[in-house]
């Protein structure tokens, strides 16, 4: 490994971030009339017209601008964009009567869906904590703490542990099956770990630390497969494995069969989720000032499974999902999974020094830069064939937003710089 190799990757990512990716968003998304962000764009970057502003897209956009500002980009403009998003979030999406944020408004700010979905509440905690860390504006952490307290009051399962996820406006639990009231998921608990990490980084409060440690233990000991260390998507309330189904108002509506049940519904795991979980756990331990050795076995299993089964060494990139034992079920390439493994494989390489992880990083890096980035517009294609031909062509909607792509490039540059610094340390 040489300085030149690191510099080549850093420069390529920096040019993409500053000349393509951030400009795609900063020139399009501000709704100067109604507040908040417009988040639906077609393959050419044109507003595709959907009359909605979702909690997930608004909070992820705030996080993107705040975190990129905190990382040193934008010369202050990104902080202003984050503030613009926070103004809309607090003024139009906060429920003054019951607390928490509504799931969906239209572009004017009128409530379309008043449910309290913990997936969205977790991103509110995440983005608002990041916003205060980035700007010093106390409104962010005030509301982040409010949401955290609401989750402890209404969403915690005091019998089996963890958090219920789908609620009506008044925080009564949704019905079962597609309503989601009878299930718990990897996805939500992983994002709660992510959110509590940034909350604790901002407040340094013992309660926030304790709840972060609790959700980490739950993820490692309940949600990850006891043998393979891979993520299990869905559970019943008592943590028995449940078949993976789609919910009425949450992610996954576009990746299921017509009957709403995923193939191999009790034996599938996402390579992207597994690596994302691992690097988010590493980051949490760093914020907690704890050694990664506490969960070394989990890190090994998460990273090894992905590098041995998830990487497409023939065509580049990482596959969507497969069995816990290793069989690949879905060989398509999804944008967010590429984004997360770029960060994770760099962490794995720095952690273990195993060349397989550097090779895996370079493999995915090249697939992203050569195939997945829509260079004529600046953002990434959402879903591609194994060979790298676009299947879906929209640049953005409520779920395909800037959070994964911008964070991936910012964090990859940070890690490449750290690896370069390691290389140049006196021996």
């Amino acid at each position: 490994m040489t300085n030149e190799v690191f510099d080549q990757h850093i420069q390529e990512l920096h040019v993409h971030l500053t000349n393509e990716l951030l400009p795609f968003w900063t020139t399009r998304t501000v709704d100067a009339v109604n507040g908040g962000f417009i988040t639906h764009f077609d393959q050419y970057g044109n507003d595709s017209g959907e009359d909605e502003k979702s909690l997930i897209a608004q909070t992820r956009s705030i996080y993107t601008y705040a975190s990129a500002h905190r990382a040193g980009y934008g010369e202050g403009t990104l902080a202003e964009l984050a503030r613009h998003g926070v103004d809309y979030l607090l003024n139009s999406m906060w429920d003054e009567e019951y607390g928490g944020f509504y799931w969906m408004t239209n572009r004017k700010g009128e409530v379309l869906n008043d449910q309290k979905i913990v997936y969205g509440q977790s991103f509110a905690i995440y983005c608002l904590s990041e916003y205060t860390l980035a700007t010093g504006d106390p409104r962010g952490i005030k509301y982040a703490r409010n949401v955290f307290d609401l989750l402890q009051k209404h969403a915690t399962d005091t019998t089996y542990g963890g958090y219920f996820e789908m609620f009506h406006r008044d925080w009564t639990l949704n019905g079962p099956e597609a309503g989601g009231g009878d299930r718990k998921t990897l996805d939500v608990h992983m994002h709660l770990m992510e959110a509590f990490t940034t909350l604790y980084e901002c407040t340094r409060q013992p309660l926030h630390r304790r709840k972060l440690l609790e959700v980490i233990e739950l993820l490692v000991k309940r949600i990850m497969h006891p043998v393979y260390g891979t993520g299990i998507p869905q559970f019943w309330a008592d943590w028995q494995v449940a078949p993976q189904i789609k919910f009425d108002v949450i992610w996954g509506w576009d990746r299921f069969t017509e009957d709403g049940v995923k193939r191999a519904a009790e034996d599938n795991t996402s390579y992207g989720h597994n690596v994302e979980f691992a690097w988010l756990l590493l980051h949490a331990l760093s914020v907690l000032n704890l050694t990664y050795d506490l969960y070394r076995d989990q890190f090994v299993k998460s990273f090894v499974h992905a590098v041995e089964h998830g990487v497409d060494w023939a065509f580049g990139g990482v596959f969507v999902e497969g069995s816990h034992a290793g069989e690949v079920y879905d060989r398509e390439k999804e944008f967010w999974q590429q984004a997360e493994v770029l960060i994770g494989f760099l962490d794995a390489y720095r952690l273990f020094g195993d060349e397989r992880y550097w090779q895996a990083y370079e493999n995915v890096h090249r697939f992203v830069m050569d195939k997945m980035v829509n260079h004529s517009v600046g953002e990434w294609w959402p879903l591609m064939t194994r060979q790298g031909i676009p299947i879906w062509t929209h640049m953005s909607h409520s779920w395909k937003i800037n959070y994964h792509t911008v964070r991936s490039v910012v964090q990859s540059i940070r890690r490449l710089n750290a690896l370069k610094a390691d290389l140049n340390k006196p021996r």
Side-chain angles (χ1 to χ4, degrees):
M1 203 60 61
T2 65
N3 286 319
E4 290 73 22
V5 170
F6 289 129
D7 286 341
Q8 177 187 349
H9 288 83
I10 292 166
Q11 179 64 15
E12 189 172 21
L13 290 174
H14 180 79
V15 169
H16 171 51
L17 179 66
T18 57
N19 291 359
E20 296 177 332
L21 193 51
L22 281 173
F24 175 89
W25 296 102
T26 59
T27 60
R28 286 175 170 83
T29 58
V30 170
D31 185 340
V33 176
N34 301 302
F37 302 112
I38 296 166
T39 56
H40 291 69
F41 301 100
D42 66 18
Q43 70 184 89
Y44 305 107
N46 300 317
D47 180 358
S48 52
E50 284 85 348
D51 186 20
E52 65 177 47
K53 287 177 178 168
S54 69
L55 178 59
I56 197 67
Q58 299 301 308
T59 53
R60 285 178 165 185
S61 295
I62 294 165
Y63 172 83
T64 295
Y65 299 130
S67 62
H69 169 74
R70 191 177 168 203
Y73 298 96
E75 299 180 335
T77 61
L78 299 176
E80 285 303 304
L81 284 171
R83 180 199 55 76
H84 174 83
V86 168
D87 289 345
Y88 181 84
L89 187 67
L90 303 187
N91 293 333
S92 297
M93 302 193 82
W94 178 256
D95 184 346
E96 292 287 352
E97 183 175 358
Y98 293 105
F101 291 99
Y102 299 121
W103 181 247
M104 185 82 69
T105 66
N106 63 16
R107 291 198 182 191
K108 292 181 180 180
E110 299 163 335
V111 178
L112 299 179
N113 185 325
D114 63 8
Q115 292 185 72
K116 305 294 167 57
I117 310 298
V118 173
Y119 193 113
Q121 307 300 323
S122 75
F123 274 94
I125 296 172
Y126 189 40
C127 83
L128 290 168
S129 301
E130 183 72 22
Y131 173 68
T132 293
L133 286 166
T135 68
D137 186 339
R139 293 182 302 162
I141 199 59
K142 174 186 175 182
Y143 278 85
R145 295 179 72 148
N146 284 346
V147 175
F148 172 87
D149 291 344
L150 285 164
L151 294 185
Q152 306 316 309
K153 180 178 180 181
H154 297 295
T156 52
D157 181 351
T158 56
T159 301
Y160 297 107
Y163 295 83
F164 293 109
E165 303 177 12
M166 309 288 194
F167 296 87
H168 299 291
R169 181 190 173 190
D170 63 357
W171 291 98
T172 55
L173 196 61
N174 274 12
E177 297 299 326
D182 60 349
R183 276 174 163 80
K184 298 169 183 171
T185 66
L186 159 65
D187 215 7
V188 163
H189 286 80
M190 182 180 72
H191 289 305
L192 286 172
M193 175 180 72
E194 174 183 57
F196 292 175
T197 298
T198 307
L199 177 67
Y200 174 64
E201 184 181 4
C202 191
T203 69
R204 297 295 172 178
Q205 291 298 304
L207 175 61
H208 299 152
R209 179 185 180 93
R210 187 166 74 249
K211 291 301 179 178
L212 172 56
L213 289 167
E214 284 180 9
V215 80
I216 288 171
E217 281 288 288
L218 188 67
L219 281 156
V220 173
K221 295 182 178 177
R222 287 281 195 181
I223 294 177
M224 308 310 283
H225 195 285
V227 176
Y228 300 104
T230 44
I232 300 170
Q234 291 182 16
F235 299 83
W236 302 112
D238 63 358
W239 296 108
Q240 297 299 306
V241 177
Q244 191 178 3
I245 63 169
K246 71 175 181 181
F247 301 123
D248 288 334
V249 292
I250 198 66
W251 65 272
W253 52 267
D254 43 15
R255 303 292 282 154
F256 288 81
T257 58
E258 289 184 2
D259 62 2
V261 178
K262 185 164 280 194
R263 177 189 170 189
E266 295 185 43
D267 181 25
N268 65 83
T269 193
S270 161
Y271 306 109
H273 263 159
N274 294 336
V275 175
E276 182 182 14
F277 162 73
W279 84 254
L280 287 172
L281 176 56
L282 273 171
H283 176 60
L285 294 175
S286 175
V287 170
L288 289 162
N289 197 29
L290 297 173
T291 175
Y292 84 93
D293 285 325
L294 288 169
Y295 298 105
R296 181 184 177 89
D297 184 56
Q298 177 62 60
F299 289 124
V300 170
K301 288 179 177 179
S302 294
F303 287 131
V304 166
H305 188 274
V307 82
E308 290 187 350
H309 304 295
V311 176
D312 186 347
W313 298 104
F315 293 98
V318 67
F319 299 126
V320 171
E321 65 187 18
S323 75
H324 297 288
E327 180 188 355
V328 180
Y329 295 153
D330 188 338
R331 296 178 185 272
E332 293 171 349
K333 310 292 170 61
E334 202 162 11
F335 82 101
W336 69 266
Q337 305 211 25
Q338 317 308 310
E340 297 306 324
V341 302
L342 286 175
I343 305 170
F345 285 150
L346 287 174
D347 271 350
Y349 179 59
R350 194 170 186 211
L351 201 63
F352 300 119
D354 188 330
E355 287 295 324
R356 288 185 303 171
Y357 296 118
W358 177 256
Q359 293 163 5
Y361 167 79
E362 285 200 309
N363 171 296
V364 179
H365 176 108
R366 283 269 52 87
F367 182 84
V368 167
M369 298 308 299
D370 295 344
K371 299 288 183 66
M372 187 148 269
V373 175
N374 180 2
H375 288 286
S376 65
V377 175
E379 244 293 336
W380 301 17
W381 298 107
L383 185 70
M384 311 190 86
T385 65
R386 181 183 183 187
Q387 293 78 11
I389 299 169
I391 298 171
W392 299 337
T393 59
H394 57 272
M395 288 295 96
S396 176
H397 60 36
S398 283
W399 290 98
K400 202 279 183 183
I401 194 70
N402 44 30
Y403 149 78
H404 285 289
T405 55
V406 173
R407 184 176 71 170
S408 175
V409 179
V410 169
Q411 293 298 326
S412 294
I413 291 171
R414 177 174 290 165
R415 283 156 175 76
L416 288 164
N417 278 318
L419 285 164
K420 181 182 175 184
D422 290 344
L423 179 67
N424 292 302
K425 283 180 180 177
R427 303 298 178 189

